[in-house]
């Protein structure tokens, strides 16, 4: 092997390093030279490579085409340098390339209204010749780079309507040539830099729709040429700077929807060129400065939604250019100034709603014939509407709702031919709708609800063929719905609820083919639904409840595919309701209290968004459809008071949003399903008056939002599950008339919100839990009657201070009535009867009837006998053992006497037999002589006395008197 000297190897390595270093330097220099010599077209092609161009806006950007002919490009006179690039609304996306910084000659860069993302490159600050930069309406994010302030020649910067965040960089004050700064509709925060006052040439400042806060800096007065200042919808606070009055060139001032406070500075009256002043939605207070009347150029003034008070000092006679005056939502008082308006006024909009203005309808407004929209709603105006209202002959919208106007609607209203909207609801108007209303051919909306109007709905109203909305709710209109209602082809809303209308629905209503909302509830309408309703294909809501409609539903209703809300409750409809299931968009179906019969249509399940289904109080039969598993949005299910059979369908398990299940008064049977416990939103469960059997599933305790649990009048058995104590939100708990046994679970003390507890008519045993006394909200009733409870009444029940009814009757309770129960001052029904209670009744119970305490032999005190009488009787009476002993003695003695008498009778009978036999054989019978001795006699077999000495005191069995015997034989 040939060895290379170490010295030679090291020298080779050094030469190699030097070679690569030289190569690197040459390469860098080459690139630098190439970069400096690269044309603008080179950089534009680099920029193109980073953009996505679905619309082909950059299609002709290629080396084969001269750069000055490329789309969006503006070249300098030398046809080599680019001075303008406009790709606005070209549909491009991607990020803004840093290569833009190489376009050293560019003066205008407009990439607005695209889908650019990413951040604004700080390298753009190198474009020293740039005068216009427009990046608005993209998806650009991140902060505004501080380097943007290096563009000293920039005049227009519009980068709003993006997702920019962070603060406005103070370096922006370095752009001394800036005339337009538009950074609105972003997510900027922080405050306005005080250096903003250095922008002497600024004409337009747009900061609106950000999250900017803090005060508006006084330094803004340095923007002497400012004409447009829009800072609405931020979080600016503090006072409006007094110095703002020095911005003599200002034409538009929009500070709406901030948190500005204090009063309106009178200095604003110095803004003689102001045409638009908007201060709505702040916290301004105090009175409106009358000096604002000097703003003779002002066209729109909006001071609404503040806390301004006092009277209205503004006069249209001075604000002669004023077109819109909006003072709504303040605390202004008084009325309209007398000389508010002169003829020749330009005022078109006057909005004074939601103040505290009062008085009669301001006649001064009649001198403003130019008014098109007048809103005096939600004030305290009163009196009648003037007949001369038609002087406002340009009026399109008259909004007078929620005042105290009285009287009738003047017929002259029909002369305002330009009227499109009439809003008079919430007043005290009476009388009829004038027939002249039919002249209003442009009328699209008429709201007269919540008044006291009466009479017929005039047929002439159907001549207002532009009508789209009619709302007469809550009046006293009578008679039929006009038969010509079908002429209103554009009618969208017809609301006639809560009147006294009668008669049938006119068939022509079916020709109101634009109708979407029909509310005829709470009237006295009758008849059936016209078949022409099948033409109402746009109908989404129909409410006919609380009328007297009857008969079966027309099958043609199944063609109404847009229906979402149906309420036919409290009528007399009959037959099946299948025609109402044609729509798959139903969200509410309420047919309560009719005479519908037959099964529940399974097609109801096609309305996957059905949230409220109420079919109670009908004659429905069959079982609950299994297809209900598709009703995942169901919130309220009422099938009570029908003739439904079968078990609860497991398919309801899918209705996880359900809050109310009402199935009482049917013939449902089987066991209560375990899956009920998985319905976490369940707030009401009423399965009473059915034939459910078995135990209550402990899983029911998982329904933590349950407020009402009614399982009474079934055949349920077993113990009450301990887990029901987890129902801490429970208000009503009713298990009465079942077969429950065992004790009341002590966990019931956790149901601290209970105000009604009924456990009567079961077989519950044990003592009444002391824990019941902790249910402090118990109010309606505590009913434990007709069970097998033993022991004493717990004194803790005296803590139920809100309790109104207590029933412990028909149990086996003993001991005294706790004195603590006497504190139950809210109690007005009490029943302790049929127990083994004793002792004195609490004195506060003396007002209850005798029946409250019957069959408790040991009780005393009013209303029973006094306890002193009871004690005396007790002393006179024997104890139970003594009474028992006496009874035993009497029975024993009686038994002995009876046995002795039987024995004697038997002896007498035997002797008589002997005498009879002796007589038959010729013997003699002893007869008793007068001297008391015995003598023989054939007719009586008397027993001879063994001792003649005692015969006078001896009594025979028959106790015969001597005199009688002597007289008998005389």
């Amino acid at each position: 092997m040939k060895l290379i000297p170490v010295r030679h190897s090291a020298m080779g390595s050094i030469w190699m390093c030097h070679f690569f270093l030289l190569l690197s330097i040459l390469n860098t220099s080459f690139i630098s030279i190439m970069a400096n010599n690269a044309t603008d077209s080179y950089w534009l092609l680099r920029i193109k490579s980073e953009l996505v161009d679905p619309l082909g806006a950059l299609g002709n950007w290629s080396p084969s085409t001269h750069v000055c002919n490329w789309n969006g490009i503006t070249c300098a006179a030398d046809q080599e340098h680019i001075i303008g690039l406009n790709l606005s609304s070209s549909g491009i996306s991607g990020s803004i390339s840093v290569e833009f910084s190489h376009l050293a000659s560019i003066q205008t860069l407009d990439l607005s209204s695209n889908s650019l993302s990413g951040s604004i490159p700080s390298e753009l600050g190198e474009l020293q010749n740039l005068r216009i930069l427009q990046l608005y309406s993209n998806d650009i994010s991140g902060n505004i780079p501080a380097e943007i302030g290096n563009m000293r020649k920039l005049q227009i910067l519009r980068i709003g309507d993006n997702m920019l965040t962070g603060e406005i960089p103070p370096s922006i004050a370095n752009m001394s040539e800036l005339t337009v700064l538009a950074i609105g509709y972003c997510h900027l925060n922080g405050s306005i830099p005080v250096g903003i006052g250095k922008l002497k040439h600024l004409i337009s400042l747009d900061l609106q729709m950000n999250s900017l806060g803090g005060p508006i800096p006084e330094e803004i007065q340095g923007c002497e040429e400012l004409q447009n200042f829009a800072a609405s919808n931020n979080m600016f606070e503090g006072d409006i700077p007094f110095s703002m009055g020095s911005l003599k060139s200002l034409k538009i001032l929009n500070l709406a929807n901030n948190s500005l406070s204090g009063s309106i500075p009178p200095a604003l009256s110095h803004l003689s060129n102001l045409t638009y002043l908007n201060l709505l939605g702040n916290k301004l207070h105090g009175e409106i400065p009358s000096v604002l009347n000097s703003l003779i150029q002002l066209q729109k003034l909006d001071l609404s939604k503040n806390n301004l008070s006092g009277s209205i000092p503004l006069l249209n006679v001075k604000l002669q250019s004023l077109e819109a005056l909006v003072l709504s939502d303040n605390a202004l008082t008084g009325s309209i100034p007398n000389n508010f308006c002169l003829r020749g006024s330009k005022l078109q909009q006057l909005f004074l709603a939601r103040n505290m203005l009062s008085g009669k309808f301001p006649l001064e407004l009649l001198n403003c014939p130019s008014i098109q929209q007048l809103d005096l709603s939600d004030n305290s105006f009163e009196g009648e509407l003037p007949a001369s209202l038609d002087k406002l002959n340009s009026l399109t919208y008259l909004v007078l709702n929620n005042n105290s106007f009285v009287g009738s609607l003047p017929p002259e209203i029909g002369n305002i031919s330009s009227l499109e909207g009439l809003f008079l609801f919430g007043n005290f108007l009476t009388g009829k709708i004038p027939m002249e209303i039919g002249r209003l051919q442009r009328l699209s909306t008429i709201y007269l609800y919540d008044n006291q109007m009466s009479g017929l709905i005039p047929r002439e109203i159907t001549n207002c063929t532009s009508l789209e909305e009619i709302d007469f709710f809550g009046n006293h209109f009578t008679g039929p719905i006009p038969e010509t209602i079908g002429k209103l082809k554009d009618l969208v809303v017809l609301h006639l609820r809560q009147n006294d209308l009668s008669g049938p629905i006119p068939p022509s209503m079916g020709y109101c083919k634009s109708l979407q909302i029909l509310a005829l509830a709470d009237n006295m309408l009758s008849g059936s639904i016209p078949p022409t309703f099948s033409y109402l294909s746009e109908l989404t809501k129909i409410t006919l409840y609380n009328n007297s409609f009857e008969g079966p539903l027309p099958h043609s209703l199944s063609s109404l595919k847009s229906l979402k809300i149906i309420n036919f409750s409290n009528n007399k409809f009959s037959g099946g309701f299948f025609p109402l299931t044609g729509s798959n968009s139903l969200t509410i179906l309420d047919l309560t209290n009719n005479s519908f019969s037959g099964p529940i249509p399974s097609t109801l399940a096609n309305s996957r968004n059905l949230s409220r289904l109420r079919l109670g109080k009908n004659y429905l039969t069959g079982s609950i459809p299994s297809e209900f598993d598709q009703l995942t949005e169901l919130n309220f299910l009422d099938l009570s008071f029908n003739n439904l059979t079968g078990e609860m369908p497991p398919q309801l398990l899918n209705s996880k949003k359900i809050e109310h299940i009402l199935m009482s008064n049917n013939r449902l049977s089987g066991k209560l399903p375990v899956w009920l416990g998985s319905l976490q939103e369940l707030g009401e469960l009423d399965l009473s008056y059915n034939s459910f059997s078995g135990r209550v599933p402990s899983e029911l305790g998982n329904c933590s939002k349950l407020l009402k649990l009614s399982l009474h009048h079934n055949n349920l058995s077993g113990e009450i599950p301990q887990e029901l104590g987890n129902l801490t939100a429970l208000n009503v708990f009713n298990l009465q008339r079942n077969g429950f046994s065992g004790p009341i679970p002590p966990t019931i003390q956790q149901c601290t919100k209970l105000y009604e507890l009924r456990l009567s008519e079961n077989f519950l045993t044990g003592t009444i839990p002391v824990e019941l006394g902790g249910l402090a909200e118990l109010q309606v009733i505590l009913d434990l009657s007709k069970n097998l409870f033993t022991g004493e009444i717990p004194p803790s029940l005296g803590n139920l201070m809100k309790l109104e009814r207590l029933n412990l009757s028909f149990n086996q309770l003993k001991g005294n009535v706790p004195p603590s129960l006497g504190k139950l001052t809210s109690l007005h029904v009490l029943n302790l009867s049929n127990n083994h209670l004793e002792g004195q009744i609490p004195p506060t119970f003396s007002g209850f009837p005798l029946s409250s305490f019957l069959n408790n032999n040991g009780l005393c005190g009013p209303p029973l006998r006094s306890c002193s009488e009871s004690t005396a009787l007790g002393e006179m009476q024997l104890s139970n053992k003594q009474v028992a002993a006496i009874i035993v003695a009497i029975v024993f003695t009686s038994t002995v006497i009876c046995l002795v008498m039987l024995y004697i009778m038997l002896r007498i009978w035997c002797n008589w037999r002997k005498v009879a036999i002796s007589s038959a054989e010729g013997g003699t019978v002893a007869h008793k002589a007068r001297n008391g001795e015995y003598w023989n006699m054939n007719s009586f077999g008397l027993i001879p006395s063994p001792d003649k000495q005692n015969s006078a005191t001896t009594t025979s069995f028959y106790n015969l008197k001597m005199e009688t015997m002597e007289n008998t034989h005389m």
Side-chain angles (χ1 to χ4, degrees), residues 792-834:
E792 299 185 353
I793 299 174
S796 62
L797 295 188
N799 298 329
L800 306 178
M801 300 304 296
K802 298 181 180 180
L803 194 63
E804 297 176 355
R805 290 184 289 174
L806 175 62
N807 191 347
L808 304 178
S809 64
F810 291 95
N811 279 286
Q812 299 174 19
L813 301 172
K814 63 180 182 179
N816 295 331
V817 178
S820 60
L821 294 190
K823 298 186 298 183
L824 301 180
T825 55
S826 298
L827 204 64
H828 58 78
V829 175
L830 174 66
N831 194 346
L832 304 178
S833 64
N834 294 282

Side-chain angles (χ1 to χ4, degrees), residues 13 38 48 78 109 142 183 191 203 208 219 266 298 304 394 407 416 438 592 599 662 752-753 813 882 912 936 944 953:
S13 298
K48 175 185 176 181
D78 60 7
L109 177 57
I183 51 178
S191 57
I203 295 174
Q208 57 190 341
E219 289 80 1
L298 200 61
S304 61
S394 299
I416 310 176
T592 308
L662 309 180
T752 55
K753 296 182 180 179
L813 301 172
Q882 291 173 324
W912 180 81
N936 289 330
T953 60

Side-chain angles (χ1 to χ4, degrees), residues 337-353:
N338 290 332
N339 53 348
F340 177 76
C341 208
L342 291 177
R343 298 195 180 275
S345 165
K346 297 179 182 179
L347 190 63
Q348 297 177 6
Q349 297 174 320
L350 178 59
F351 298 151
L352 304 177

